[in-house]
Amino acid sequence: MRRELRIAGLVLFAGFSAVGCVQGPEADAYGNFEAVGVIVSADCNGKLLDFQVDEGTRLRRGEIVGWVDTTQLLLQRDQLMAELNVCRAQLPQKDKQLDVIREQLAKTRHELKRVKALAEADASTAQQVDNLTYDAEILQKQLEAEESNLDIQTRTLLARMEPIRQQILQVQDRIDHAYVVNPVAGTVLAKYAEQYELASIGKPLYKIANLDTLILRAYVEEPQLASIRLGQTVRVAVDSAYVGAAKFSGRIGWIADQAEFTPKVIQTRDERVNLVYALKIYVPNPGALKIGMPAEVFFDTDNDTVDK
C-alpha cells in the first residue's frame, strides 16, 4: 500500500514538473508599467486648515481638496480697500464746486447785457459797461482756472488709486490660490502633507496620476524597429495568479529616435544586447495593472487572442 502511494506521488510530481516546464512563445519586448504623475503643490503660504486627500483616493478634475489659512491676506485686502475708499472720498465734485462761479458769471453777463441796453438809450454810463465787462472776464478766467485745478486733482487721485487697485487684485489672486484645486482626474499615489501643517508656495502636497491607461515602457533591439510603427496594436502579457498569463491590448504611442544601454530592470530570456530602443505602449487598465509591474510585448497579434 505504501509503495502504491509512493508511485502515485512520483507520477503526480512528474506531471506538475512537466506543466511547469512548458513555456509559451518568446516575447518580442520586455518592460515595466508606469504612469504620468502630477505633483500638486501649494500656491499660498500659511497653515493647511483643510486637506481631504488620502492615498488611493480617486479625485475629479477641478475638485477642491483643501485650503490654506488666508486671515492675513484678508486683513491686507481690507486695509487696501480702506485706502481706496479714502482716495475716492477725496475726489472733487467738479460740477458742484464750479456751479457757484458759473452762477456768478451768468448773473454778471445778464447784468452786462441789461446795462448795454440802457447805455444805448443813454440811461447808463460807459463806465458801468466797462466794469461789468471786466468782471465777466475775471469770472471766466476763474472758472477756467478752477476747472483746470479740479482736473489736476482728479487725475492725481485716480493715479494714486490705480496702484491700490492693482495691489487689491494681487492679494485677491493670492486668496483665490489658497484653495487646493485638483488639476487632473486620477488616483492619489502619494501624500506629502497633513492637515494643519504649514504650507508654502511650491511645497508638494500630493502626487496624482490617471491609472485608467498605463504606459508600458519596453525596449527592443535595432533589427526589430523595421517591424513596428506608431499606432500599432500589440499584445501585452503580465504574470497572473491563475494558470497562464493575463493578456491586454496596447498601442505604440512613442518610439525613441536614439538608442540607449539596456536598463538593469529589463530581464530577457536571451543574453542582453548593449543598445536598445525605448517604446511607450499605452495600455487601457481594467484595474489589474499596477505601476512597476513587469510585462511582455508581442508585436504579432494576428494569431493571438487578446483578453479585453
Side-chain angles (χ1 to χ4, degrees), residues 15-25 243-244 269:
F16 282 130
S17 299
V19 173
C21 292
V22 175
Q23 295 183 352
V243 177
R269 297 175 184 174

Side-chain angles (χ1 to χ4, degrees), residues 2 17 22 53 85 100 107 110 114 126-127 137 207 253 282 292 305:
R2 293 181 178 177
S17 299
V22 175
V53 171
N85 291 332
V100 176
K107 182 179 180 181
H110 177 73
R114 188 181 66 83
Q127 183 66 31
E137 292 177 353
K207 182 178 182 180
Y282 295 86
T305 302

